[in-house]
Amino acid sequence: MFVHIGILFVLLQSSYCVERYDGHKVLEILHKAESDFIKILEMELKYKLDFWKLPKHVDDSMKVRVSPEHLEDFLHELEAINADVSTMIENVQDIMDEHQVQSEVPVLHRRASSYSSGWSLNVYYSYSSILNYLTAIAAATLPNNMTATLETLGTSYEGRVVRMIKLSKAGSAANKRKIFIDGGIHAREWVSPATVIYMIEMLAYNPNNNASINTLLNRYDVYLAPLINPDGYQYSGSSYRLWRKNRRNNPQGNCYGVDLNRNFPFQWDPIIGGSNSPCSDLFSGATPGSEPETANIVNYLMANGDLFDAYLTIHSYGQMWLYPWGYTSALPSDHSDLHNAALSGKNAIAAYQGMSYLVGSSTNELYAAAGGSDDFAKGGAGIKYSYTIELRDQGDYGFQLPATLIIPTAKEFFDGFVAFADTMYTHLYGSSGK
Ligand code: 0X9
Ligand code: ZN
C-alpha cells in the first residue's frame, strides 16, 4: 500500500532581479485638459515613465510609475499643468517580496494521482518549468476519459518554443467546438500564466468531479497556451520585474521590445493607444504582425479560427472582463451576446469571494488601444466570443500580486469561465450536451 511518502520540496530560486525599484512610486494623475494628457504621454521617455493604467476617456485619471531620480522634475511639470496627483504605491520595491521569484523546478506537494498532477499551483514557475509542466500533463494518465495533447504554436524572437495543451474528453460528441485561452502576452503579468496552468489542472483532473466542468468538457475542447511571450517573462524573472514587451532588439536606438498587444494585424494603429517609438513600453512594432510571438497566434487562429467559439486572453490587473473593440469606441453588432455571457462569468466570480469584475468594451471601460489580440481574434479570425480578462487585483499589488493570491485569483476566474462557457453554449446551441 502506498502511503504519503513525504514531500519533495526542491525550490531553486532562478535568479534575483537585478533591477530594483527602491523609491519608485505609482502616482494617480488627473489632468485638466486633453492637451495635458498628451503632454504627459510625451514625457514617457524623458522621465522613464511606466504607464500602469491609461485613462479610459479624456477626463479620467492615469496611473504612472516614476523613479526617484525623475520624481521631482515630473511633479514640477504636473504642477505646471495643474494636474491632481496622489500616491497609490509609496515604494514599489516594498511589494517585491519573497513571493516574487520564478521557481525553476516543480514544487511537488504530493504524488501525482488521479486527482492532481502533483505540481503546486501556488507558485510562479519559470518558463522552463512551465514547459515541463505541459510535457508532464501530456504524458500523464488522466481521469474521466480526458486526453491532453501537446501542440507547438511556434518559437519566440529569442528562439524559445511556445507550446499549448489541447484538452479533450473522449467519448463525448465528435468534432466538438473549441475554446482558445492564452496567457503571458505581457511579461510582468505573472498571475496570468499561473492562472492558465490552474485552468489546465482543473480541466484535466476535475478533482471534485464537478458536474459543470464535465458539461463544459462534453461540449468543448479547450486549448490553453499559458505563456506566449516567454522571452519577456524570462527577462521579467531574471532582470527587470516590470518588463512588459517581448525582447526584440530594435534596430533604431538602443531599445528592446515590442508590445505584443499592440502588434496584432487588425486595425493596427500606433496612434491609438500604442507608440511608434521603440523605446516606449507601448511600441506597436515596425509593422502589423511583425513579431514572431504575434505571428504564432495569428497563424494558428487564421488556420483554425472557424472551429473556435471563444478566445480569451488573460492579463492582469484591474478585475475586468472586456470585449472588443479596443481600437474604437464603437461596439460589434453582437455586443449584447458578448456582454451577457461575460456577465455570467462576472457573477460566478463574485459568488466565490465577492470580487467585483467590470464588464464592457475595452475602449469604453479601459482605454482605446489598437492592435490587441482580442480585436484580431474577433475581427481577423472571426471568433465571436473574444475577450481580454484583467485578473486581480485593483492596484494594491498591481503586477506584483503575491504568490499566495494565485489560487483564489485563478479559482474565481475559473468558476467564471465555466459559467461563461455555459451561457455562451446555451445561447449558441440550446442546453444540449449536459
Ligand atoms: O493595454 C493592454 O494591452 C491591456 N491592458 S494591460 O494592463 N494588461 O496591459 C488591455 C487590452 C484590451 N484590448 C484592446 N485594447 N484591444
Ligand atoms: Zn496585459
Side-chain angles (χ1 to χ4, degrees):
M1 189 181 89
F2 288 103
V3 285
H4 196 270
I5 54 164
I7 299 168
L8 174 60
F9 191 85
V10 190
L11 174 55
L12 293 178
Q13 295 180 352
S14 53
S15 46
Y16 54 93
C17 286
V18 173
E19 181 82 8
R20 290 186 57 87
Y21 299 92
D22 300 290
H24 287 230
K25 291 187 191 303
V26 177
L27 306 177
E28 181 158 20
I29 302 164
L30 186 60
H31 52 275
K32 294 277 154 40
E34 189 176 354
S35 55
D36 296 338
F37 164 57
I38 309 280
K39 278 186 201 151
I40 299 171
L41 283 185
E42 287 171 354
M43 294 178 211
E44 181 193 2
L45 301 180
K46 186 161 125 197
Y47 295 131
K48 293 201 165 56
L49 303 178
D50 175 8
F51 296 106
W52 283 29
K53 277 285 170 271
L54 293 170
K56 65 178 162 184
H57 44 73
V58 286
D59 45 9
D60 189 22
S61 65
M62 57 166 85
K63 292 167 187 166
V64 181
R65 175 175 61 87
V66 58
S67 67
E69 301 87 276
H70 295 297
L71 183 66
E72 206 179 309
D73 292 344
F74 181 49
L75 286 174
H76 273 134
E77 298 224 29
L78 293 176
E79 213 177 293
I81 57 170
N82 207 12
D84 292 337
V85 182
S86 58
T87 304
M88 277 188 64
I89 298 179
E90 274 293 341
N91 184 0
V92 172
Q93 189 63 40
D94 281 352
I95 48 176
M96 300 255 177
D97 58 15
E98 72 278 9
H99 301 294
Q100 293 293 312
V101 290
Q102 290 178 359
S103 170
E104 200 53 67
V105 294
V107 183
L108 293 176
H109 63 110
R110 56 181 162 168
R111 278 174 168 279
S113 71
S114 56
Y115 300 103
S116 157
S117 66
W119 286 55
S120 292
L121 299 172
N122 57 353
V123 174
Y124 290 121
Y125 287 112
S126 69
Y127 162 72
S128 65
S129 292
I130 291 173
L131 270 194
N132 288 339
Y133 174 81
L134 298 180
T135 308
I137 289 289
T141 308
L142 299 177
N144 310 321
N145 289 325
M146 288 299 296
T147 57
T149 317
L150 197 56
E151 297 195 9
T152 298
L153 286 166
T155 48
S156 65
Y157 178 80
E158 291 178 335
R160 294 184 176 84
V161 66
V162 177
R163 293 233 152 94
M164 75 172 164
I165 280 281
K166 171 189 177 185
L167 292 175
S168 181
K169 190 166 186 225
S172 47
N175 298 324
K176 276 179 287 179
R177 301 285 298 164
K178 301 172 192 303
I179 297 174
F180 188 99
I181 298 168
D182 67 42
I185 191 169
H186 284 145
R188 63 192 175 185
E189 299 166 9
W190 289 8
V191 75
S192 158
T195 294
V196 180
I197 287 173
Y198 179 94
M199 296 176 79
I200 294 172
E201 184 83 8
M202 290 302 128
L203 293 167
Y205 289 93
N206 189 4
N208 300 316
N209 197 22
N210 176 293
S212 306
I213 299 175
N214 281 327
T215 299
L216 188 155
L217 292 166
N218 284 334
R219 292 167 168 177
Y220 283 112
D221 291 336
V222 189
Y223 291 66
L224 303 106
L227 183 52
I228 64 175
N229 174 15
D231 303 348
Y233 184 74
Q234 168 81 17
Y235 188 67
S236 168
S238 63
S239 314
Y240 192 102
R241 174 66 184 84
L242 291 169
W243 191 253
R244 169 178 169 95
K245 303 186 282 182
N246 75 349
R247 290 295 296 161
R248 169 176 292 280
N249 186 355
N250 293 309
Q252 319 112 290
N254 208 7
C255 289
Y256 283 77
V258 169
D259 183 347
L260 298 173
N261 214 34
R262 299 291 179 275
N263 188 240
F264 279 74
F266 177 77
Q267 298 287 341
W268 182 83
D269 187 350
I271 304 299
I272 303 176
S275 170
N276 277 312
S277 166
C279 297
S280 167
D281 235 7
L282 304 172
F283 181 40
S284 304
T287 54
S290 56
E291 301 312 293
E293 297 85 354
T294 312
N296 293 339
I297 304 297
V298 166
N299 294 341
Y300 186 81
L301 295 184
M302 286 312 278
N304 303 288
D306 54 342
L307 306 173
F308 285 80
D309 282 345
Y311 169 86
L312 287 88
T313 182
I314 314 298
H315 291 243
S316 71
Y317 62 96
Q319 298 179 195
M320 296 179 181
W321 196 306
L322 303 170
Y323 49 83
W325 304 108
Y327 77 92
T328 170
S329 60
L331 296 171
S333 59
D334 57 353
H335 66 94
S336 61
D337 297 346
L338 277 76
H339 192 90
N340 288 338
L343 280 184
S344 294
K346 169 199 164 78
N347 292 335
I349 289 171
Y352 178 53
Q353 288 184 340
M355 284 297 153
S356 167
Y357 272 59
L358 187 69
V359 171
S361 96
S362 63
T363 296
N364 297 328
E365 296 303 335
L366 191 57
Y367 42 72
S373 67
D374 49 358
D375 280 10
F376 172 80
K378 186 163 182 66
I383 302 178
K384 177 180 167 82
Y385 289 91
S386 173
Y387 297 97
T388 292
I389 307 298
E390 300 282 0
L391 297 170
R392 287 195 200 183
D393 58 7
Q394 287 181 315
D396 293 344
Y397 292 108
F399 303 111
Q400 303 155 97
L401 197 75
T404 47
L405 293 177
I406 292 172
I407 290 180
T409 302
K411 182 188 162 16
E412 73 196 4
F413 175 66
F414 182 67
D415 290 352
F417 167 70
V418 174
F420 151 76
D422 186 53
T423 300
M424 169 177 70
Y425 185 91
T426 306
H427 182 80
L428 290 173
Y429 312 110
S431 56
S432 56
K434 289 225 180 205

